[in-house]
Amino acid sequence: MPYVEPPIKRAVTFFDLQNLFLSSKSAWGYSFPNFDPVELSRLVITRHSGWKLTGIHLYTGIHDSKKSPFWHNFWTKKLASHKAQDTRVDIFTTPLHYNSGVPSEKGVDIRIALDLVRAARLDKCDVAILFSRDTDFAEVAKEIRAIAYEKQRWIKIASVLPDHPDFKRGIDGTDWIRLSKNDYDKCVDQRDYRN
């Protein structure tokens, strides 16, 4: 018996900010993270009947202020601005780790995965929208389907990816939402945090 689809679906967005930046850079050549995640969330929600935006979660590693003051200040200002922009914004940051001077994120993907599973398990959303192309999240999609079966309720997980010939697939086990360059450009952040 199919699960009952709610007429109004609580939709929550989850942004892997570094992954989204690298995807937009690869697809369209943007040289810095110029997107507005709040506006991207609103855009995706308005394209789906019955979806209501109830949460926006932002995740990123942050550069050390001494090793990379430019990027440390950029992300600190950008995240603070988005938090002030919309009360539904929740932020998770972690310090970047440096190996021979090369920064890398640790713990961001696992935090996103845990938050996605928790939102499904605690009935905090009906639609989880992941702005990432990281194929590891296919395991999260499997877990959310298992939770839907266990709880006997309707839950959807979707992944957003640039509509570009190089990106043929979204995350397995999710609905793929393709984001055109035109739509992305409508959601460019008008504030420049590089100054």
Side-chain angles (χ1 to χ4, degrees):
M1 188 170 180
Y3 311 140
V4 176
E5 181 176 342
I8 303 299
K9 300 161 191 69
R10 298 160 300 160
V12 178
T13 54
F14 297 82
F15 284 83
D16 182 342
L17 295 173
Q18 297 298 333
N19 190 283
L20 177 57
F21 165 53
L22 293 174
S23 293
S24 63
K25 180 180 181 181
S26 178
W28 302 309
Y30 294 110
S31 60
F32 72 100
N34 63 345
F35 51 82
D36 183 331
V38 174
E39 290 305 318
L40 283 169
S41 297
R42 292 173 180 162
L43 175 89
V44 168
I45 297 302
T46 59
R47 300 280 168 88
H48 295 84
S49 178
W51 289 14
K52 178 183 178 183
L53 183 61
T54 58
I56 303 167
H57 297 272
L58 311 181
Y59 303 82
T60 190
I62 299 285
H63 286 270
D64 182 276
S65 60
K66 293 185 176 66
K67 292 181 191 278
S68 182
F70 173 84
W71 284 114
H72 176 84
N73 292 333
F74 176 90
W75 281 109
T76 301
K77 289 188 285 187
K78 182 173 178 62
L79 294 172
S81 176
H82 294 315
K83 181 75 172 169
Q85 179 183 358
D86 194 305
T87 58
R88 294 169 292 192
V89 170
D90 185 61
I91 295 168
F92 172 84
T93 62
T94 186
L96 289 174
H97 296 263
Y98 295 83
N99 186 8
S100 301
V102 178
S104 65
E105 278 188 333
K106 299 290 183 189
V108 169
D109 290 352
I110 192 68
R111 183 74 260 163
I112 295 172
L114 288 169
D115 288 352
L116 279 161
V117 169
R118 182 181 291 120
R121 185 172 51 81
L122 298 180
D123 193 14
K124 297 290 187 184
C125 70
D126 304 301
V127 181
I129 306 156
L130 180 56
F131 283 77
S132 178
R133 293 180 47 251
D134 190 330
T135 57
D136 287 344
F137 288 117
E139 293 302 313
V140 175
K142 287 181 190 174
E143 185 64 21
I144 288 177
R145 284 197 303 278
I147 291 168
Y149 178 78
E150 175 190 325
K151 305 283 188 182
Q152 291 292 292
R153 73 178 187 86
W154 190 96
I155 311 172
K156 179 188 290 289
I157 181 168
S159 59
V160 180
L161 67 153
D163 190 9
H164 188 273
D166 288 347
F167 301 150
K168 298 193 173 15
R169 299 181 57 80
I171 297 168
D172 286 345
T174 70
D175 289 6
W176 302 343
I177 299 174
R178 296 198 176 269
L179 184 68
S180 71
K181 184 177 185 302
N182 185 51
D183 284 341
Y184 179 97
D185 289 344
K186 289 177 186 174
C187 300
V188 165
D189 194 341
Q190 300 305 311
R191 295 151 294 201
D192 192 338
Y193 309 103
R194 294 174 294 177
N195 302 321

